[in-house]
Amino acid sequence: MEGFKALGLSYKNAPIEIREKVAFSEQEAVQFLLNLKDMFDIEEALLISTCNRTELYYTSGQRQQEEIIQLISSFKSIPSDKLSGFTETYDSASASKHLFRVALGLESQVLGDIQISNQVKRAYQQSADLNLAGPHLHRLMHTIFYANKRVVQETSLQDGTASVASVAVDLIGGFIRNIEQPRVALVGLGEIGQNVLENLSSDEATITLVNRTKSKADKLAIEKNIKVSDFNSLDQVIADNDVIISAITCTDPIISADNLGQGSIHKLLIDLSVPRSMNTDLENVPGVSLYNVDQLTERTLKAREVREKAIPNAERIVEEEFINFSKWKSEMEVSPTIQKLKNALDQIRREELARHKKLSNEEMELLEVVTKSMIQKVIKLPVLQLKAACKRGEADTLVGVLNDLFNLEAAEVEKK
């Protein structure tokens, strides 16, 4: 784990004005990872970019945090000094453990947010597709997925309506309660938009979907028996609906006070996009209630109380699975020594058998079986002792002893 590192920023230390500047779309993430792979000696890399955080996890033998921050700054056209004060870094075991906590929702703005697990899975798939997931990352991610399964089954960390999407729907329910024939428009049908849609009830309001790719909206509309409007008709959609939820990917706001037109306005606007898709000038329009992703956390207090009680059990699971991962990692680090020892002993075995050329084929086959069995028994205890030393943190000492006793490094060079 010595070469595993992480850097990034989150809602804990960076305001939305900074986070939205370093948010990566899926296409941007692919290009950035390819640039990272080309420019640095990076063996593994995982980029997580959500509305609450942008974090890069990578495996490298060198400390390259400053250079990578420079690359992010260049890629996103942001002065590096604007990022450096908000960036946190993690090394070795702390980087792996931080990824555990992020993926399980322990570091989420909405504690136990179920969306983060899917977002991490997609980031991992992206890394695998780009050949940026090696043995360490593969094992780490699968251990994290198993830990998440345990958290779901053994704790209440993800109970209650506390995701950004469910909180938004709760807010909508309170707003439309006293509106006759309420109308709700959902702009953007990415993961967050679809999560909102899954929680919206067409029995309570008329729902209209708006998406840049209209075919995607059409398909979902047929499944849900709801309306679809063209993206080009966004102004009319805003005028016609009481609630507008925007979960669209964009670089600049697409909805502002100018889109509302004239006259009396009573609307709820919910901006789930990062970067934000709704201009802050909407806050000054009488009758308009505007919420962004940071403000929605005020609606999570009850669910958070339940989830906070589950934190000790969730952290216990993290610790148990992290220890299991660390044991595997330690054994992986000594596995080359084990293989060298096996090769060295087998070389001795084969050299001795080669001295007995007068033996018949039947006798040679019998000796082959017997000597291989002897080697297996001879090596069993050193291997067990080496694995036990890994658990005690004393593997380096025993590896050194075995190298000296059997001259393993020289034997390996001679073999090659």
Side-chain angles (χ1 to χ4, degrees):
M1 280 185 283
E2 288 303 316
F4 194 60
K5 301 174 178 65
L7 62 84
L9 49 80
S10 73
Y11 73 96
K12 289 187 174 182
N13 60 347
I16 191 171
E17 292 81 7
I18 297 296
R19 300 202 309 274
E20 65 188 0
K21 292 182 184 298
V22 292
F24 286 78
S25 67
E26 185 175 342
Q27 292 77 15
E28 286 177 329
V30 169
Q31 188 57 55
F32 177 80
L33 288 171
L34 290 174
N35 290 353
L36 188 77
K37 188 176 182 179
D38 289 341
M39 295 178 65
F40 300 100
D41 182 23
I42 300 295
E43 303 167 18
E44 300 178 310
L46 176 79
L47 179 62
I48 299 173
S49 186
T50 73
C51 58
N52 285 329
R53 69 183 65 250
T54 293
E55 294 181 340
L56 175 70
Y57 298 81
Y58 63 99
T59 301
S60 173
Q62 302 175 12
R63 289 185 60 86
Q64 297 171 311
Q65 283 92 331
E66 292 182 6
E67 291 86 349
I68 292 174
I69 291 173
Q70 289 286 349
L71 178 61
I72 295 172
S73 300
S74 174
F75 191 90
K76 302 298 288 187
S77 300
I78 309 166
S80 59
D81 58 354
K82 286 192 175 182
L83 291 182
S84 57
F86 299 103
T87 306
E88 292 184 324
T89 60
Y90 303 86
D91 287 318
S92 305
S94 64
S96 297
K97 185 169 285 189
H98 182 68
L99 183 52
F100 263 90
R101 295 181 60 84
V102 167
L104 270 59
L106 285 166
E107 297 291 332
S108 295
Q109 189 171 24
V110 177
L111 181 65
D113 190 347
I114 59 175
Q115 293 179 41
I116 188 64
S117 177
N118 291 329
Q119 290 164 335
V120 170
K121 285 180 181 177
R122 283 204 307 276
Y124 169 50
Q125 184 61 56
Q126 187 177 68
S127 295
D129 291 343
L130 297 173
N131 293 319
L132 279 168
H136 177 278
L137 195 56
H138 281 308
R139 182 68 179 224
L140 176 60
M141 296 309 301
H142 285 283
T143 306
I144 286 173
F145 297 150
Y146 178 69
N148 185 66
K149 184 178 180 180
R150 286 190 59 192
V151 166
V152 172
Q153 294 174 343
E154 300 174 28
T155 78
S156 56
L157 185 70
Q158 297 181 10
D159 290 356
T161 54
S163 70
V164 170
S166 60
V167 171
V169 171
D170 284 349
L171 190 63
I172 293 166
F175 182 82
I176 67 175
R177 188 174 295 121
N178 298 319
I179 299 176
E180 187 176 349
Q181 296 181 331
R183 295 159 297 174
V184 177
L186 174 58
V187 183
L189 294 170
E191 183 189 5
I192 293 178
Q194 290 188 53
N195 286 339
V196 172
L197 182 58
E198 288 172 6
N199 288 279
L200 280 174
S201 172
S202 57
D203 295 333
E204 298 177 4
T206 299
I207 301 172
T208 300
L209 303 182
V210 181
N211 197 56
R212 286 195 180 102
T213 306
K214 189 171 179 290
S215 58
K216 186 174 184 179
D218 288 333
K219 181 180 178 181
L220 289 171
I222 293 171
E223 295 173 1
K224 300 281 186 178
N225 193 27
I226 51 183
K227 297 169 61 177
V228 173
S229 184
D230 287 327
F231 188 79
N232 293 333
S233 304
L234 188 58
D235 281 359
Q236 192 61 48
V237 170
I238 294 171
D240 291 344
N241 286 271
D242 305 295
V243 178
I244 296 93
I245 313 109
S246 179
I248 197 164
T249 301
C250 57
T251 54
D252 297 299
I254 61 170
I255 301 172
S256 67
D258 293 337
N259 298 103
L260 297 180
Q262 303 297 320
S264 178
I265 299 169
H266 181 59
K267 294 184 185 293
L268 171 64
L269 305 182
I270 300 177
D271 189 357
L272 301 180
S273 306
V274 178
R276 286 172 290 182
S277 57
M278 295 184 178
N279 198 303
T280 53
D281 65 1
L282 289 161
E283 296 174 346
N284 302 319
V285 178
V288 170
S289 298
L290 173 64
Y291 289 82
N292 62 36
V293 288
D294 285 355
Q295 294 165 330
L296 288 181
T297 56
E298 297 175 8
R299 308 285 301 183
T300 69
L301 294 179
K302 288 185 179 179
R304 186 174 181 88
E305 288 177 3
V306 173
R307 295 181 176 202
E308 281 178 344
K309 293 178 182 177
I311 290 176
N313 281 335
E315 290 186 332
R316 171 184 54 79
I317 291 170
V318 167
E319 194 62 33
E320 290 173 358
E321 296 305 327
F322 180 75
I323 289 172
N324 289 336
F325 171 74
S326 299
K327 289 178 181 177
W328 170 85
K329 188 64 179 176
S330 296
E331 291 183 7
M332 282 293 292
E333 289 171 354
V334 300
S335 61
T337 299
I338 293 173
Q339 190 58 50
K340 289 176 186 176
L341 179 59
K342 288 180 178 179
N343 292 341
L345 293 177
D346 192 62
Q347 180 66 23
I348 294 171
R349 182 188 69 83
R350 285 184 283 107
E351 288 175 357
E352 288 303 310
L353 287 179
R355 297 176 187 273
H356 303 281
K357 297 179 181 179
K358 295 182 180 180
L359 295 175
S360 66
N361 290 337
E362 290 80 6
E363 290 172 327
M364 286 299 294
E365 288 176 3
L366 179 59
L367 277 177
E368 186 78 16
V369 172
V370 171
T371 53
K372 280 186 176 180
S373 177
M374 289 175 63
I375 294 297
Q376 289 288 353
K377 291 179 180 179
V378 168
I379 202 172
K380 183 177 180 180
L381 184 58
V383 169
L384 290 176
Q385 292 290 354
L386 193 52
K387 290 183 177 181
C390 287
K391 295 178 182 179
R392 299 193 304 269
E394 301 171 356
D396 289 346
T397 301
L398 192 50
V399 166
V401 170
L402 289 173
N403 276 322
D404 291 342
L405 283 175
F406 293 93
N407 200 18
L408 297 181
E409 298 298 334
E412 194 68 14
V413 171
E414 185 176 317
K415 178 186 172 185
K416 292 178 180 179

